[in-house]
Amino acid sequence: MEKTLIIVTHPKLGSSKINKRWIQELQKYPDKYIIHDLHSTYPTLEIDVIKEQLLLESVNKIVLQFPFYWFNCPPFLKKWIDDVLTHGWAFGKNSGYKLAGKKFALAVTAGIKEDDYRASGQYEYTLEELTRPFETTFKYVNADYRPLYAFYGEEHNPTQEDIEANAKGYINFIENL
Ligand SMILES: Cc1cc2nc3c(=O)[nH]c(=O)nc-3n(C[C@H](O)[C@H](O)[C@H](O)COP(=O)(O)O)c2cc1C
């Protein structure tokens, strides 16, 4: 069975609650998911671009999992995108578009609660709107950009039940991508 690649970028995974719980859930299904933790793979932040490109070529479903930092992804994921989606491989005439047709989705954890990510809420814009640069990037390379999955309100004392249900929902989300 073909595996889904989960690219995790969390600068402080050791002190994480939600991303760590998501990873624990993914680890229950080693035959289904390749968990690729960028910070532990590249502690010096030097990316092996060819290795990353070959890994991406080997799968058809990719999830980018990260905590929302200043309404964006952590910087190492941005660097990964800048370094790995090269001209002549990800886009460009003749040899490019190696990601064409592959499913890409974001799985984002947010400190802020969902009510505040609404037109009527404190921060006005939804996570879907705030992540439009990802949507546009993956459309640019002809990938199949899917709706995102989220955990909202980590800073508002979520219950253990909420965290558990969300972790189970994450697996369901990936399976239905
Ligand atoms: C530097 C920094 C910036 C953050 N910016 C945001 C933000 O813009 N929006 C938000 O909802 N939460 C923000 N947060 C909260 C984190 O997203 C939240 O703590 C994290 O997603 C929880 O997941 P974890 O338990 O796996 O760390 C920020 C946290 C840090 C450390």
Side-chain angles (χ1 to χ4, degrees):
M1 186 183 46
E2 200 189 294
K3 292 187 178 183
T4 300
L5 176 62
I6 317 289
I7 297 176
V8 178
T9 316
H10 195 309
K12 291 185 179 162
L13 196 54
S15 52
S16 151
K17 193 161 48 179
I18 312 301
N19 279 273
K20 213 191 253 175
R21 181 65 192 83
W22 279 2
I23 290 169
Q24 281 169 0
E25 199 62 27
L26 294 167
Q27 284 171 335
K28 292 181 183 171
Y29 311 95
D31 53 322
K32 286 188 174 175
Y33 308 122
I34 304 166
I35 303 168
H36 184 37
D37 174 355
L38 290 187
H39 278 281
S40 72
T41 307
Y42 301 113
T44 63
L45 309 186
E46 276 306 310
I47 297 171
D48 183 337
V49 172
I50 301 294
K51 196 174 136 196
E52 294 301 304
Q53 291 178 338
L54 289 174
L55 186 57
L56 289 166
E57 285 177 27
S58 73
V59 295
N60 282 310
K61 284 206 280 184
I62 299 110
V63 176
L64 303 179
Q65 174 185 326
F66 58 89
F68 217 33
Y69 277 9
W70 290 112
F71 307 100
N72 211 321
C73 66
F76 194 37
L77 180 56
K78 178 59 165 62
K79 177 175 161 56
W80 180 90
I81 293 171
D82 291 353
D83 288 4
V84 176
L85 274 55
T86 55
H87 179 264
W89 182 81
F91 64 99
K93 283 195 194 119
N94 306 325
S95 59
Y97 296 100
K98 294 282 196 277
L99 300 175
K102 293 184 191 286
K103 292 182 178 180
F104 271 85
L106 304 186
V108 182
T109 62
I112 293 168
K113 52 188 195 301
E114 191 168 11
D115 280 353
D116 287 330
Y117 281 119
R118 288 209 174 120
S120 56
Q122 196 170 355
Y123 303 108
E124 196 174 330
Y125 302 110
T126 63
L127 271 193
E128 285 77 5
E129 288 168 326
L130 292 165
T131 52
R132 287 258 161 86
F134 292 90
E135 179 178 348
T136 314
T137 295
F138 290 109
K139 284 190 174 162
Y140 188 90
V141 298
N142 290 347
D144 180 8
Y145 187 77
R146 314 299 298 160
L148 63 75
Y149 188 71
F151 183 93
Y152 293 95
E154 181 273 330
E155 290 166 351
H156 294 268
N157 301 315
T159 65
Q160 204 50 43
E161 289 74 40
D162 287 343
I163 295 171
E164 292 306 308
N166 182 271
K168 306 271 183 244
Y170 185 30
I171 301 297
N172 199 36
F173 165 78
I174 298 171
E175 289 310 298
N176 289 298
L177 268 181

